Amino acid sequence: MGDLSSPRVICIKGGLFVLLGVMALGLILLEHPEVRTAILLGICIWSFCRAYYFAFYVLQNYVDPNYRFAGLTSVAIYFLRRAKH
């Protein structure tokens, strides 16, 4: 399977991720309709988004511009190798 290159399909895929997240959020809040739960979910989502941004943009542009990360596994392997040195 090759890389996804169609802008239309990439946008559809992104939309499906958003839809999936909204559905999961809705189901959690239906099960636990509390302000505290909504706030904690918001903090969780925001934190993971920032971590993802850090893992790819910040590391690649500020920590090691020569390394190209291919995914979260690549980031983990990078840090494991760095820890051994």
Side-chain angles (χ1 to χ4, degrees):
M1 176 181 261
D3 288 341
L4 187 61
S5 60
S6 167
R8 181 175 176 270
V9 176
I10 292 170
C11 289
I12 289 170
K13 184 178 179 181
L16 289 173
F17 282 132
V18 171
L19 179 64
L20 184 64
V22 169
M23 288 173 51
L25 175 69
L27 289 172
I28 290 170
L29 289 176
L30 277 174
E31 196 168 314
H32 301 282
E34 301 160 0
V35 173
R36 180 177 179 223
T37 302
I39 290 171
L40 289 173
L41 280 170
I43 292 169
C44 178
I45 291 166
W46 178 82
S47 298
F48 277 117
C49 288
R50 297 302 296 170
Y52 192 83
Y53 168 79
F54 175 82
F56 294 102
Y57 185 80
V58 173
L59 289 178
Q60 196 164 318
N61 289 298
Y62 297 104
V63 176
D64 191 349
N66 297 318
Y67 193 80
R68 296 291 174 242
F69 300 97
L72 292 176
T73 306
S74 174
V75 172
I77 292 170
Y78 174 80
F79 278 112
L80 289 172
R81 287 183 181 158
R82 256 183 92 156
K84 289 181 181 177
H85 293 113

